[in-house]
Each structure stands twice: as structure tokens, then as C-alpha cells.
Amino acid sequence: MNIHEYQAKELLQKFDVATTRGKVASTLDEAEQIARELGDVEIVVKAQIHAGGRGKGVFKNGFKGGVHVRKTHEEVREVAAKMLGQTLVTHQTGPAGRVVNKVLVAQSAEIAREIYFAILLDRESAAPLIVASSEGGVEIETVAAKSPKKIIREAIDPLAGLQPFQTRKLAKQLGFDSSQLKSASKLFEGLYRTFVAFDCSMIEVNPLVVTTNGDVLALDAKFNFDDNALYRHPEIAAMRDVAEEDPREVEASKHGLNYIGLDGNIACLVNGAGLAMATMDIIKFYGGEPANFLDVGGGATEEQVTEAFKILIADKKVKAILVNIFGGIMKCDIIAQGIINAAKTVKLSVPLVVRLEGTNVERGKQLLKDSGVALIAADDLADAAQKAVAAAKRK
């Protein structure tokens, strides 16, 4: 689940992580009022969408840039008028862009230095890990490729937590002046408390800045949360902005389905994330293009299978559907009956290729054969992929 920049600021402020003053606005009057409250300072207006590259983006109304600095509340209102309700296109949104429904109006910071700082879960150690660099404001992948020695890593004991000596060491390694060590250490400690309190899998601050006045601030932060822990944080779940998400993914999540839309024309319905990845790979291997990732899980119900089919055929680019099921916990005959009922319910208009393997596979295949549903049976995954690619080309 992603959250907006203004929401990230709100979470950081709960743990005294220093950041710039500001609030979110959804109307021109709100934007102007916030600017008035900030006083006689330079003010930055930032479009709030779930995509990077906002500063270099272009609105479809011709206005350039989703990040602007202004000096008066009148100018802030003027900029907000060109952003709110308009579609911003960046390198991450694709040509369709995203509609800007909110803008962050905040005090602008006079930056002297930019730093990269992140806390994430390290899979190898199964513990939190700090990744930092004195080279902030750019993609950390670029720094890692060009200057790997500038990447600092600090492991955190999950029981002891982030220790004061570690925050001081990190501050010194990142080049903070002696006068800034205390504020930098406090900010690092606050970020870690935020990470733990909200069951985060990642907090990335880029940039973390030192201002010309010597203040240490977290200017922009990105959060990733452990979805399995969201039930403990209704306040975080409430931050979800479904308007920023693919409607198909939103619908899938309502039915416990893991769906990610892609650009191909062969829809996939698979049980198990690993098998779903392998299915997409083999479709590509035989010259096709997968239209989605869809994992119905190991215990899919007939209702879930039906809803999955509805989501798949709603994609107008889909020319064929490939169902690849390995019956383990879920028996093949139960899945087969679900496929039959779902296919009849949604009235499929594209070729359906089905590959079943596992528990009660022969019973499942017989059910499909006797169902009267127009489908293409496949003996194995390679056969299924080839038949799906061929069917999509004929459609």
C-alpha cells in the first residue's frame, strides 16, 4: 500500500522527526489559507500523486512541473489552480497520467546539502537495516552503480533496537558537523521508532537535508507497510487512496485476489505467486505477452474464481485466458467446477486454455470435458502457453 507525501509527513511528525511546516489542500481556498498561515516565507506547492518525477512532469493543460516555489499566498492560489483537478504526466505514470486531487503547501527549505537515508527489512538477516549515503537527491541505485563505496549499511538488532552509538556513528559517517550530530541522531532515532511502530517494511527519506541554517530535516519520505500487519493499524489502512490505484487491482483486493495489470493480451489465472511468475515467463518464451499477474491463492473459492474471470475479461486488450492450476491444498476437481461455473456466469468471449495438475486431476479434467464449456485443454505448462499464444493471435 502506498501513501501520499503529506501523509508520510503526518506519520513522521508523530515521532518528532523534523520536517518542514505545511498542510495538504484540496481546494484553492484551502491552499491560500495554508499559505497565509505559513507567513512571510518561500512556499513550495507539490502535486500529490503516487508517482515519482513530479518536478519534471507536465500537466495535460500545458502547465509544466508538479513542484513550484512561490512567495505570496496569491501566487500559491494561482499555482494550485493549475494543478488541482488536472492530469499530471510523469515518467512513472505513463502517458495516461494521474489526476491531482490534492496539493501539499509547505515551507520551502534552503538546502545546503542532501543525504539519502532508508530503513528496510534485510531478507538475509531477517532484521532491520539502515542504508544511507552522503549522495542524496538522486536514485540510490545510481549511487550504488557509480560510487558503491559511498553506500553505508548499518544492521540493527531487532531486540536491542537502534542504539545511540549507532546513530552517532552514522551521523559522523554521513559528514554531519559536530553542531548537527545531536539533531541528526534524534532524527535517525525518530525514523526507526516510526518504522517499528507502524510495522513498516521500508522508510526511505530522499532527500534528508541540511539547510543553510544548519537544520536537519526529512524533506520527502516514502513508506512501504507490511500488508499482513495492517489489521493492527486501521489509521494506516484508512490512508489508502483507491483513486490512485488501478480499478482492477482495487476490485481484486476486495475478493482476496492478488492482481497486477500489465500491457499484454494473454490473461493469466494461477494459484500461487511462484507458479504465476513461471506462467508469465513461459508465455513470453513462446512469443506472447501476459496481460496480468493474478494469484488466486491456494484455497480459492468458486466465488473468487468467478470474480477473477470478471476482472480478466474487463480488460479489453485480452485476447485469450490461460488458467494454470496446480492442485495441492485445493483439489483439481473443485477448481474445475469453479472454472465451469465462472465461465458460464461471465459468458466468456475469448478463448480459454486450461492446464490442471495435482490432486484429483483426472476427475477435474473429466468435469471440464463433460461441462460443455468451450475451452482448450492443455497437457502441461509448455503446451498451455503455446496454445494460449496461438489462440491470442487468431482472435
Side-chain angles (χ1 to χ4, degrees):
M1 191 188 88
N2 292 321
I3 61 174
H4 287 290
E5 179 185 1
Y6 77 90
Q7 295 169 320
K9 280 180 173 287
E10 291 171 358
L11 294 181
L12 293 179
Q13 288 167 354
K14 290 183 179 181
F15 289 89
D16 297 323
V17 176
T19 185
T20 52
R21 295 184 300 136
K23 296 179 181 178
V24 68
S26 54
T27 68
L28 300 183
D29 289 341
E30 288 177 354
E32 184 176 357
Q33 181 58 35
I34 295 166
R36 288 179 185 273
E37 293 172 359
L38 291 173
D40 188 20
V41 296
E42 285 197 330
I43 297 169
V44 62
V45 183
K46 306 177 78 173
Q48 298 296 284
I49 60 171
H50 287 171
R54 292 171 294 169
K56 295 181 180 179
V58 178
F59 286 88
K60 288 190 175 181
N61 62 7
F63 187 55
K64 294 183 178 180
V67 179
H68 288 269
V69 177
R70 292 294 185 266
K71 293 185 177 180
T72 68
H73 58 83
E74 293 92 352
E75 292 175 339
V76 168
R77 184 184 183 96
E78 182 182 340
V79 169
K82 295 176 181 177
M83 291 185 180
L84 288 171
Q86 302 298 320
T87 301
L88 177 61
V89 180
T90 78
H91 70 279
Q92 287 191 2
T93 65
R98 296 276 177 84
V99 175
V100 176
N101 295 310
K102 298 178 186 293
V103 294
L104 174 64
V105 181
Q107 181 178 349
S108 179
E110 294 185 14
I111 300 172
R113 195 160 70 90
E114 297 185 353
I115 294 150
Y116 176 91
F117 191 93
I119 307 174
L120 48 85
L121 280 178
D122 178 38
R123 292 188 178 186
E124 289 187 9
S125 63
L129 174 72
I130 290 174
V131 178
S133 174
S134 57
E135 301 289 320
V138 296
E139 295 290 337
I140 193 63
E141 292 83 2
T142 302
V143 178
K146 295 183 177 179
S147 308
K149 292 183 179 179
K150 293 184 178 180
I151 303 292
I152 299 167
R153 292 176 173 82
E154 182 72 22
I156 303 173
D157 186 303
L159 294 179
L162 182 63
Q163 297 296 300
F165 80 88
Q166 291 178 296
T167 61
R168 291 193 298 270
K169 181 175 75 170
L170 284 164
K172 290 177 181 178
Q173 288 176 316
L174 291 169
F176 285 96
D177 294 338
S178 57
S179 61
Q180 300 162 353
L181 290 179
K182 185 176 180 180
S183 55
S185 296
K186 180 182 177 182
L187 190 146
F188 298 159
E189 193 266 339
L191 286 172
Y192 181 70
R193 288 194 294 130
T194 306
F195 180 88
V196 173
F198 293 120
D199 288 306
C200 299
S201 55
M202 183 194 77
I203 296 179
E204 179 185 61
V205 180
N206 190 22
L208 185 155
V209 303
V210 179
T211 69
T212 53
N213 294 328
D215 296 325
V216 182
L217 304 174
L219 265 201
D220 192 3
K222 294 180 181 178
F223 281 68
N224 281 345
F225 301 96
D226 181 352
D227 290 345
N228 294 318
L230 280 178
Y231 73 94
R232 300 198 296 205
H233 304 285
E235 75 281 15
I236 301 297
M239 290 182 170
R240 183 182 182 186
D241 186 352
V242 295
E244 289 288 319
E245 301 178 30
D246 185 325
R248 297 169 298 177
E249 295 179 18
V250 174
E251 186 63 25
S253 68
K254 293 178 181 177
H255 302 284
L257 303 170
N258 296 311
Y259 177 94
I260 299 174
L262 302 173
D263 296 325
N265 61 1
I266 299 177
C268 307
L269 190 159
V270 189
N271 66 329
L275 188 59
M277 295 296 289
T279 302
M280 292 191 295
D281 284 345
I282 202 164
I283 286 172
K284 292 277 288 186
F285 180 79
Y286 285 109
E289 292 292 336
N292 64 275
F293 168 97
L294 175 54
D295 171 20
V296 298
T301 65
E302 182 180 318
E303 180 186 0
Q304 284 177 305
V305 174
T306 302
E307 293 301 328
F309 271 109
K310 288 180 181 178
I311 293 167
L312 295 181
I313 63 171
D315 185 345
K316 301 304 180 184
K317 298 191 300 293
V318 168
K319 303 299 181 185
I321 297 174
L322 170 54
V323 175
N324 183 22
I325 298 295
F326 183 85
I329 299 173
M330 177 60 70
K331 297 179 176 62
C332 287
D333 55 335
I334 295 175
I335 281 288
Q337 192 61 56
I339 293 171
I340 293 166
N341 294 340
K344 291 179 178 179
T345 300
V346 301
K347 298 179 181 179
L348 291 178
S349 58
V350 297
L352 172 63
V353 180
V354 180
R355 179 256 183 171
L356 293 178
E357 193 56 74
T359 307
N360 291 355
V361 62
E362 294 303 326
R363 171 65 179 154
K365 287 182 177 180
Q366 191 62 44
L367 282 170
L368 292 174
K369 184 178 179 180
D370 298 340
S371 67
V373 174
L375 56 82
I376 303 169
D379 296 324
D380 53 43
L381 183 50
D383 182 41
Q386 291 178 75
K387 287 178 176 177
V389 171
K393 289 180 178 178
R394 289 195 301 267
K395 182 66 178 177

